[in-house]
Amino acid sequence: SWTVNPRASARLALSDTIELRAGFGQYSTPPRGYFIVPGFGNPQLQPEQWLHASAGINMQLVPGVVEFDTDFFVKIGDHVVAPSSGTRMENGTEVPERFANTGLGRVIGGEWMRRLRPGAISPLYGMISYTYQRATRAACAQQCPWYVYQYDQPHIVSAVLGAILPFGIEVGADRFGEMVAHGRCGP
């Protein structure tokens, strides 16, 4: 399938050390592999359509060395793949649909990050960030209940530490983790 995905973003420097930014756009996502597997899924599924909006601020706490960055975001999905008990025609035969582009989705959250850049003061660099988000879905647009999405990752913590050594050698380590809430429900 072909899709058109217009996007726009803007940045505004309030000073040498503070910058605001905002963005808005449409994104298309192909259905996950197992949703379209012949004999199990629905090969006739179309891409999901998502509207994304974000706003953030970047502050240079120590210009060129230490910065703080934060973003808030909203993603609204339409034509999201959802389970279906309907049927569809395949080679003149009625077969179970299993999945259809009838769902809605939304993700709302924010990210906070502190970054250390390498430079004249130190060859070290690093980053630590925390993201809080909630992803919910509804199987249809009218009178279907919203539920926490099975792939929801409400708490994500990332950390990177590295150093630029002589002769262009770079070493580092990272740790990415998620803390997932239990007690999910859904269809």
Side-chain angles (χ1 to χ4, degrees), residues 14-77:
L14 297 179
S15 70
D16 289 343
T17 59
I18 299 175
E19 179 181 85
L20 299 176
R21 65 181 170 270
F24 182 80
Q26 181 174 329
Y27 296 80
S28 300
T29 304
R32 290 179 183 264
Y34 66 91
F35 289 146
I36 59 172
V37 172
F40 173 76
N42 180 352
Q44 297 173 356
L45 290 173
Q46 297 298 307
E48 297 177 347
Q49 302 295 313
W50 290 85
L51 294 176
H52 292 213
S54 66
I57 186 168
N58 178 278
M59 295 181 282
Q60 299 288 323
L61 303 177
V62 177
V65 180
V66 179
E67 63 184 75
F68 174 76
D69 202 86
T70 188
D71 283 292
F72 297 95
F73 55 86
V74 174
K75 303 173 185 180
I76 305 295

Side-chain angles (χ1 to χ4, degrees), residues 88-109:
R88 62 182 175 80
M89 295 302 290
E90 185 177 290
N91 299 323
T93 305
E94 192 172 31
V95 297
E97 188 173 48
R98 293 195 178 96
F99 301 102
N101 290 99
T102 57
L104 301 174
R106 59 183 177 215
V107 180
I108 300 170

Side-chain angles (χ1 to χ4, degrees), residues 70-73 108-112 130-134 154 156:
T70 188
D71 283 292
F72 297 95
F73 55 86
I108 300 170
E111 179 178 56
W112 299 266
Y130 169 72
T131 302
Y132 175 79
Q133 63 183 13
R134 290 310 319 220
I156 302 169

